[in-house]
Amino acid sequence: MANTLTIKDNRTNKEFTIPIENDTVKATDLRQIKVKDDDFGMMTYDPAYMNTASCKSKITFIDGDKGILEYRGYPIDQIAEKCSYLDTAYLVLNGELPNSAQSKEWTDAVTHHTMVHENMKKIIDGFNYDAHPMGLLTSTLAALSTYYPKAKNVLDEKERKLNILRLIAKVPTLAAYAYRHRMGLPYVSPDNDLSYCGNFLSMMFKMSEPKYRPNPDIERALDVLFILHADHEQNCSTSAMRNIGSAQSDPYVSAAGGAAALYGPLHGGANEAVLRMLDEIGSLDKVPAFVREVKEGKGEKRLMGFGHRVYKNYDPRAKIIKKMADKVFSLTGKNPKLDIALELERIALQDDYFVKRKLYPNVDFYSGLIYQALKFPVDMFPVLFAIPRMSGWLSQWQEMLVDADQKITRPRQVYLGARNRAVP
Ligand code: CMC
């Protein structure tokens, strides 16, 4: 009887033995537990999926207590040190790092799919001048679906791969166009001579010079930030993408759903919220009062960039970003808000409230300070998260589609409302 779980239902005194696989039990195995034969049977109640595995995955491993993050078995710090973002995206998508021929072929293919239909500019022009770029990105990702009607054939592997390639290639273009619209600047076409990040910087910041030449250190810093954001297993936006994709919707609208989830301040919008919080605090001497307000607010006011559903230790991505910040600031000049952030972290990590709840800085705590030093406006921060997370969304979406265990997502509910009322 090893690897089984025996449950006794004290309502009926009946015992049930159900299999354990990978330290989990199947929720549907509980359905045999009933009081009466015509009962629906036992379900699990798990709002926010606090303790429910929704899939089996081989993409990203996280040990939240130890602060470990691995893509396809490789520790994040090694990937950040030795790989490019595009090779990381290849790894996340395909399970293996590319050899040099594969890397060249993949990079070349991505480079040659970066353009978007000219009409996309007209769609973007329809937005208000001050539209949030994340709203634009979400909308233009969905709009891409209409240009590629064959993308609906999600079970066709060749079609799937082509649309994965298109999405990885075009997301920086859409992101940069959203920014240019916001700034009232002309759109800049992709430059095939540049790297993935170099081209993105060119599409963002090129002015009247004939050729934009990115600073190689800044290009690499952005590449590392992209690596750190590539995937994070079943987070809110990835689960949204899997959920939408489970209806066999095409990857463009599914990714738009992922982006919509990422927009929220508790998820990818947190990097933006951190900067706004640091602005609100304003100076070092106001940090203790702010921390006090957070504690007294009892969840009403949060320390943005702190805490994580899975990490109950220092987020390993935050560690890498914190180290990288010095290098970036040596090129760009220090972000004056860094001292407030460091003081906030110092006080919070000694404070019982945060220690007891295991609230540590997460990836968003320092990333915004770097983005700001690189001259990205604050409302572009969640967009900068979405660009690399596209590789994670697509890998997880693809894994879901070929997984024989998966079906259209359709949770149950515990209905507690009225029944059988007569309409007067
Ligand atoms: N500041 C102050 N208190 C907090 C914070 C915070 N940032 N995060 C959690 N708590 C408290 C919370 O009030 C609760 O206290 P109590 O037990 O007294 O009610 C306890 O800690 C547990 O919080 P929770 O809301 O049950 O935890 P969760 O796992 O549902 O939330 C979280 C995770 C990330 C949404 C949350 O920590 C949070 O809101 N953090 C701030 C937003 C943020 O930085 N988000 C980025 C996450 S990392 C990047 C990403 O995945 O997108």
Side-chain angles (χ1 to χ4, degrees):
M1 295 293 264
N3 280 335
T4 59
L5 178 73
T6 299
I7 304 166
K8 184 171 171 209
D9 185 348
N10 294 321
R11 298 169 303 175
T12 57
N13 277 329
K14 280 193 196 149
E15 277 196 359
F16 301 85
T17 298
I18 57 177
I20 299 174
E21 195 189 322
N22 303 313
D23 285 335
T24 63
V25 292
K26 277 197 181 136
T28 46
D29 282 343
L30 302 177
R31 288 277 292 280
Q32 57 189 303
I33 304 175
K34 306 177 172 192
V35 175
K36 295 192 275 13
D37 280 350
D38 61 350
D39 280 352
F40 183 78
M42 181 82 75
M43 293 191 293
T44 55
Y45 174 61
D46 190 12
Y49 301 112
M50 299 288 286
N51 196 37
T52 294
S54 63
C55 62
K56 295 174 182 162
S57 183
K58 293 184 174 173
I59 301 172
T60 291
F61 172 80
I62 299 177
D63 183 328
D65 292 325
K66 297 199 180 107
I68 295 173
L69 168 62
E70 294 170 0
Y71 298 157
R72 302 283 189 181
Y74 294 110
I76 191 66
D77 52 331
Q78 290 184 36
I79 299 178
E81 193 190 327
K82 297 184 177 162
C83 302
S84 68
Y85 165 67
L86 273 191
D87 283 359
T88 306
Y90 184 101
L91 168 72
V92 169
L93 282 159
N94 301 300
E96 296 298 336
L97 279 166
N99 60 32
S100 61
Q102 288 165 329
S103 171
K104 193 176 167 314
E105 191 187 340
W106 165 240
T107 305
D108 208 50
V110 170
T111 306
H112 286 89
H113 279 87
T114 45
M115 288 184 87
V116 295
H117 195 288
E118 274 299 288
N119 282 351
M120 198 58 92
K121 294 178 184 167
K122 293 190 196 140
I123 296 175
I124 296 174
D125 286 344
F127 282 80
N128 262 2
Y129 77 94
D130 60 351
H132 194 291
M134 200 59 186
L136 259 82
L137 180 70
T138 306
S139 309
T140 49
L141 281 171
L144 273 186
S145 155
T146 62
Y147 294 92
Y148 303 110
K150 283 200 205 145
K152 287 180 178 57
N153 302 328
V154 293
L155 300 180
D156 176 341
E157 188 183 352
K158 212 166 139 219
E159 193 59 42
R160 225 168 35 230
K161 299 262 179 245
L162 175 60
N163 292 299
I164 287 175
L165 177 64
R166 284 181 177 140
L167 270 163
I168 302 267
K170 292 182 201 309
V171 66
T173 313
L174 297 178
Y177 281 11
Y179 167 76
R180 301 291 289 201
H181 172 73
R182 179 98 162 81
M183 303 305 284
L185 290 166
Y187 303 110
V188 176
S189 293
D191 180 342
N192 286 1
D193 288 344
L194 298 175
S195 72
Y196 191 76
C197 283
N199 174 49
F200 175 57
L201 289 167
S202 165
M203 291 189 293
M204 286 284 299
F205 298 125
K206 184 171 182 293
M207 298 304 277
S208 53
E209 68 273 37
K211 176 112 188 141
Y212 180 87
R213 295 186 198 287
N215 174 317
D217 290 325
I218 288 184
E219 195 179 348
R220 177 60 189 156
L222 190 60
D223 208 49
V224 172
L225 284 162
F226 279 8
I227 290 170
L228 300 179
H229 287 87
D231 191 49
H232 213 233
E233 50 118 310
Q234 309 313 315
N235 57 84
C236 180
S237 56
T238 300
S239 302
M241 172 112 188
R242 276 184 176 256
N243 269 6
I244 300 168
S246 77
Q248 297 189 358
S249 303
D250 74 53
Y252 299 100
V253 287
S254 304
L262 191 73
Y263 197 171
L266 298 189
H267 191 10
N271 50 18
E272 184 178 348
V274 170
L275 260 283
R276 297 198 195 285
M277 173 186 76
L278 296 176
D279 275 339
E280 184 192 330
I281 297 172
S283 60
L284 273 182
D285 56 312
K286 306 230 171 75
V287 171
F290 184 84
V291 171
R292 213 166 31 248
E293 265 180 61
V294 168
K295 285 162 43 179
E296 285 164 5
K298 297 195 175 60
E300 290 288 304
K301 187 167 194 161
R302 296 202 157 190
L303 193 48
M304 300 312 286
F306 257 70
H308 199 276
R309 172 63 56 79
V310 180
Y311 293 120
K312 300 302 167 199
N313 201 324
Y314 215 104
D315 181 334
R317 301 167 299 174
K319 256 190 210 157
I320 297 169
I321 294 180
K322 194 176 171 190
K323 265 198 227 148
M324 205 170 75
D326 289 337
K327 177 138 194 233
V328 172
F329 294 151
S330 71
L331 298 165
T332 60
K334 194 169 100 183
N335 188 325
K337 292 178 199 104
L338 176 67
D339 290 335
I340 301 178
L342 288 170
E343 180 65 358
L344 208 49
E345 177 185 331
R346 191 188 67 77
I347 294 186
L349 291 184
Q350 291 174 1
D351 192 298
D352 229 30
Y353 176 95
F354 297 92
V355 173
K356 240 186 14 222
R357 290 171 178 77
K358 299 190 175 162
L359 300 170
Y360 292 86
N362 60 48
V363 69
D364 291 318
F365 193 65
Y366 288 107
S367 61
L369 291 169
I370 297 187
Y371 292 143
Q372 196 169 51
L374 297 179
K375 306 271 181 290
F376 289 102
V378 174
D379 56 10
M380 275 298 282
F381 295 0
V383 174
L384 291 162
F385 192 153
I387 296 171
R389 182 53 58 88
M390 185 60 73
S391 56
W393 289 338
L394 291 165
S395 313
Q396 301 272 352
W397 167 77
Q398 179 173 246
E399 190 178 63
M400 178 271 303
L401 283 171
V402 299
D403 181 348
D405 281 358
Q406 293 292 338
K407 286 168 176 282
I408 184 168
T409 305
R410 204 320 183 171
R412 298 279 178 177
Q413 65 169 2
V414 178
Y415 180 71
L416 299 176
R419 291 286 322 280
N420 278 332
R421 299 211 282 179
V423 178

